[in-house]
């Protein structure tokens, strides 16, 4: 009996010793899962939540900040920073009359009671009011300035509760995904010193490791511009504790190099939309699928070509239509993406409930393209070669995209070859993503064609990209996202009507009209809907793609290392 007790005690001691010395066990005991290294292809042009729209920034800030609301995996609006989505039914949203006598709405939110910036300062209604003041200032450079301009006033009820008074009743009245709260105690002095230069002096870029800039599950602890961002758990985070002790987001702009880094073990995962393209992911899965989890998520990622409508060549709608007839998008989809990236006929995905199939389409038709170009005054000398107008000017355009993205560059070359066949000369000039999005596109410096993707939420009203008032200019500090310079009173009217139409059936009819107009005017050339390929280490659990613009990092606290 004595020997048995000693044996059991000895076994327990050995088990305890093994637990103490085991690296994995010690990580679990500390509540952490070590380091997770993520590879992406872009570095943000700015880390300010409300200036410039770039997926890389949204991805990072899904870990450090949270929106008031956003869409979840079921494409339903849910709270992140707030405690309850406002609604007319519960009384947290109430119809009211604006000072101008129009119908408006008062929407009340409560901030999470424990939401606190990383430096210990509570997230309060002071931050909300300051964010509104920045957003509505004409020189702040905020991208979605229309959102803040529509908020006529904010009533502060207490430190955590406030009411937004909006100038109209939209069907999205309870959603506030674009209202990204700023830390007033850090940003206010910078903003008030000089609003016009605020976008270049914000602490999000000048002092990115300041813990007071984050209230999410992680905060930035080190940053190498253009190369790497390291994050560690934020001690003031109010939600479930994140598992990883450190997350490193490494920027590898060359997509073939991403694959090499995966295989070498330098990175543990590559997220969709900013990593391997579908063709690369398909090839990777075929070669290494036994060692990695490769997921393909269809979604609302719209690859297209913005057209500079200030260019006299592209100002002619017949030329725009001819260009699309001259591109064999079916061949691009089948040969480059094995059909996983279906051809886009317009700017609304077939996965979205507002999609309409009754719109003009532009199948590959070189003869129709020839006829349209002839009609527009671009004949071919002798029926071949590059077209010229009556003044002898060649039909020559520049096409740009993100340098180092092998698939986009390949698509460029295919389009260049196909349009040459109809007498259009394309010259290719690409730039790193940070320059391309941060300056060339956002400040409308491209001269012809800019190829990139929009990533949207469900039933996303395209006000910032298609409304006349959203054209970026130096006067509005390059706010807005209508980079094409598209201005159509008919489109403006449709956008205005859709936003305030609460009847779902009537709204669907208006959406159908908007899609028909877009597909007729073609301010941009639709290419295809991108599936998002995720490549994940087999030990990584909890990463759930959404299919919309809400990045997976909005749920980073759910990510775990498998036992």
């Amino acid at each position: 009996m004595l020997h048995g007790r000693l044996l059991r005690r000895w076994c327990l001691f050995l088990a305890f010793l093994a637990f103490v010395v085991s690296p994995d066990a010690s990580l679990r005991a500390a509540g952490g899962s070590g380091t997770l290294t993520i590879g992406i292809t872009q570095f943000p042009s700015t880390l300010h939540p409300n200036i410039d729209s770039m997926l890389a920034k949204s991805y990072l800030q899904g870990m450090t900040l949270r929106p008031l609301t956003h869409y979840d995996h079921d494409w339903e609006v849910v709270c992140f920073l707030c405690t309850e989505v406002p609604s007319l039914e519960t009384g947290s949203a109430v119809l009211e009359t604006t000072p101008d006598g129009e119908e408006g709405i008062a929407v009340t939110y409560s901030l999470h009671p424990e939401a606190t910036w990383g430096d210990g300062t509570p997230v309060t209604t002071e931050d909300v009011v300051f964010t509104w003041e920045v957003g509505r200032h004409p020189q702040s450079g905020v991208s979605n300035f229309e959102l803040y301009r529509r908020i006529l006033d904010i009533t502060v009820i207490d430190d955590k509760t406030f009411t937004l008074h909006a100038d109209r009743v939209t069907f999205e009245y309870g959603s506030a995904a674009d209202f990204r709260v700023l830390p007033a105690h850090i940003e206010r002095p910078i903003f008030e010193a000089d609003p016009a230069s605020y976008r270049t002096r914000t602490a999000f870029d000048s002092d990115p490791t300041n813990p007071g800039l984050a209230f999410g599950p992680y905060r930035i602890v080190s940053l190498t511009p253009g190369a790497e961002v390291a994050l560690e758990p934020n001690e003031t985070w109010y939600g479930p504790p994140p598992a990883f002790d450190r997350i490193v987001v490494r920027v590898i702009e060359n997509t073939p190099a991403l694959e090499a880094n995966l295989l070498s073990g330098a990175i543990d995962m590559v997220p969709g939309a900013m990593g391997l393209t579908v063709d690369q992911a398909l090839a990777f899965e075929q070669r290494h699928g036994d060692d990695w989890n490769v997921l393909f998520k269809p979604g609302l990622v719209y690859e297209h070509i913005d057209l500079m409508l200030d260019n006299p060549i592209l100002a002619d709608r017949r030329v725009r239509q001819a260009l699309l007839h001259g591109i064999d998008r079916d061949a691009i989809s089948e040969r480059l993406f094995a059909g996983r990236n279906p051809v886009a006929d317009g700017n609304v995905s077939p996965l979205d409930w507002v999609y309409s199939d009754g719109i003009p389409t532009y199948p590959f038709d070189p003869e129709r393209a020839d006829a349209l170009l002839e009609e527009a005054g671009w004949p071919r000398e002798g029926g071949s070669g590059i077209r010229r107008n009556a003044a002898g000017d060649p039909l020559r355009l520049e096409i740009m995209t993100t340098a180092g993205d092998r698939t986009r560059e390949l698509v460029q070359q295919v389009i260049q070859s196909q349009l040459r066949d109809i007498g259009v000369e394309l010259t290719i000039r690409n730039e790193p993503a940070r320059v391309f999005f941060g300056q060339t596109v956002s400040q409308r410096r491209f001269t012809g064609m800019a190829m990139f993707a929009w990533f949207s939420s469900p039933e996303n009203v395209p006000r910032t990209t298609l409304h006349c008032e959203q054209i970026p200019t130096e006067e509005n500090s390059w706010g807005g996202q209508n980079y094409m310079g598209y201005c159509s009173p008919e489109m403006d009217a449709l956008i205005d009507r859709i936003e305030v139409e609460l009847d779902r059936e009537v709204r669907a009819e208006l959406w159908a009209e908007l899609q028909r107009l877009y597909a007729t005017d073609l301010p941009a050339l639709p290419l295809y809907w991108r599936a998002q390929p995720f490549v994940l280490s087999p030990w990584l659990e909890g990463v759930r793609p959404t299919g919309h613009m809400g990045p997976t990092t909005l749920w980073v606290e759910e990510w775990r290392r498998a036992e």
Side-chain angles (χ1 to χ4, degrees), residues 480-513:
Q481 298 168 309
N482 186 343
Y483 306 132
M484 305 157 292
Y486 176 65
C487 190
S488 162
E490 185 179 358
M491 179 64 76
D492 287 358
L494 284 168
I495 290 172
D496 292 342
R497 291 178 62 193
I498 287 172
E499 286 183 329
V500 299
E501 180 54 66
L502 303 185
D503 187 303
R504 188 179 173 96
E505 292 184 4
V506 174
R507 203 160 70 243
E509 295 174 1
L510 295 173
W511 269 108
E513 290 182 34

Side-chain angles (χ1 to χ4, degrees), residues 530-542:
R530 277 172 41 186
Q532 301 174 61
F534 289 73
V535 182
L536 311 174
S537 293
W539 48 259
L540 181 59
E541 296 180 340

Side-chain angles (χ1 to χ4, degrees), residues 163-328:
T163 300
L164 302 179
H165 300 273
D167 68 355
R168 69 199 71 186
V169 184
T170 72
F171 72 89
E172 295 180 301
Y173 68 84
S175 175
D178 280 348
F179 197 109
R180 303 297 180 117
V181 177
L182 304 173
H185 66 294
I186 294 175
E187 291 288 281
R188 184 182 291 280
I190 302 172
F191 174 72
E192 291 182 346
D194 183 11
S197 64
Y198 170 63
R199 65 178 295 152
T200 63
R201 297 182 302 106
T202 170
F204 283 96
D205 293 331
S206 64
D207 189 19
T209 60
N210 187 327
L213 300 176
F215 61 79
Y218 287 90
R219 66 180 184 86
I220 295 174
V221 295
S222 67
L223 181 146
T224 303
E228 184 176 288
V229 180
L231 307 99
E232 292 181 357
N234 176 16
E235 294 180 357
T236 68
W237 164 241
Y238 54 84
F244 289 96
D245 302 297
R246 186 177 179 88
I247 293 181
V248 177
V249 180
R250 190 165 294 158
V251 178
I252 305 168
E253 293 184 342
N254 184 282
T255 46
L258 275 176
E259 181 175 335
N261 276 266
L262 282 168
L263 296 177
S264 70
I267 58 178
D268 303 311
M269 67 170 284
V270 173
M274 290 182 300
L276 299 182
T277 54
V278 166
D279 58 317
Q280 293 169 324
L282 287 167
F284 185 89
E285 182 181 38
Q286 188 174 20
R287 296 192 302 267
H288 310 291
D290 292 339
D291 301 318
W292 295 84
N293 291 332
V294 182
L295 311 176
F296 294 90
K297 179 68 175 181
L300 307 180
V301 188
Y302 172 52
E303 191 77 17
H304 69 289
I305 299 174
D306 264 13
L307 302 176
M308 176 54 69
L309 301 184
D310 294 348
N311 185 325
I313 296 174
L314 295 170
D316 191 323
R317 186 170 66 184
R318 294 167 297 183
V319 172
R320 304 196 295 268
Q321 294 175 344
L323 292 175
L324 197 52
H325 272 306
I327 301 173
D328 192 346

Side-chain angles (χ1 to χ4, degrees), residues 511-522:
W511 269 108
E513 290 182 34
L514 184 149
Q515 293 169 72
R516 282 194 292 272
L517 179 59
Y518 183 93
T520 301
D521 281 356
L522 288 182

Side-chain angles (χ1 to χ4, degrees), residues 22 26 72 88 98 107 121 129 180 230 238 300 321 356 368 384 529 546:
S22 165
S26 65
D72 65 7
L88 291 166
T98 71
V107 185
T121 304
V129 173
R180 303 297 180 117
Y238 54 84
L300 307 180
Q321 294 175 344
S356 170
R368 178 59 181 154
S384 62
W529 294 100
T546 65

Side-chain angles (χ1 to χ4, degrees), residues 344-489:
D345 290 319
N347 61 330
V348 175
S349 167
L351 299 176
D352 204 325
W353 80 268
V354 298
Y355 171 76
S356 170
D357 57 7
I359 62 174
T361 59
Y362 298 84
F364 180 55
D365 189 345
E367 292 184 1
R368 178 59 181 154
D370 284 340
L372 284 167
L373 291 174
E374 291 281 344
E375 182 183 328
W378 293 97
R380 266 179 162 172
E381 294 181 3
S384 62
I386 301 301
R387 297 174 183 273
R388 295 181 181 272
N389 61 14
D393 302 320
L395 183 44
R396 180 182 297 128
L397 297 166
E398 183 177 75
I399 183 169
M400 302 182 68
T401 193
T402 48
D405 187 320
R406 187 178 68 182
T407 297
R408 275 189 176 148
E409 291 173 344
L410 180 57
V411 171
Q412 266 185 321
Q413 293 165 19
V414 171
I415 292 174
Q416 181 186 48
S417 175
Q418 291 177 344
L419 293 187
R420 185 184 299 118
D421 290 341
I422 62 169
V424 179
E425 181 181 358
L426 290 190
T427 59
I428 293 175
R429 183 171 69 88
N430 297 332
E431 294 176 333
R434 193 178 187 189
V435 178
F436 180 67
F437 291 115
Q439 297 175 9
T440 302
V441 172
S442 63
Q443 297 183 17
R444 305 188 67 230
R445 296 183 183 181
F446 64 101
T447 62
M449 308 165 76
M451 182 168 66
F452 61 98
W454 282 122
F455 203 4
S456 70
S457 56
E459 196 177 357
N460 184 258
V461 181
R463 172 173 290 276
T464 64
T465 57
L466 294 178
H467 201 283
C468 293
E469 295 178 353
Q470 300 295 315
I471 300 173
T473 65
E474 189 172 1
E475 287 70 29
N476 67 18
S477 294
W478 308 110
Q481 298 168 309
N482 186 343
Y483 306 132
M484 305 157 292
Y486 176 65
C487 190
S488 162

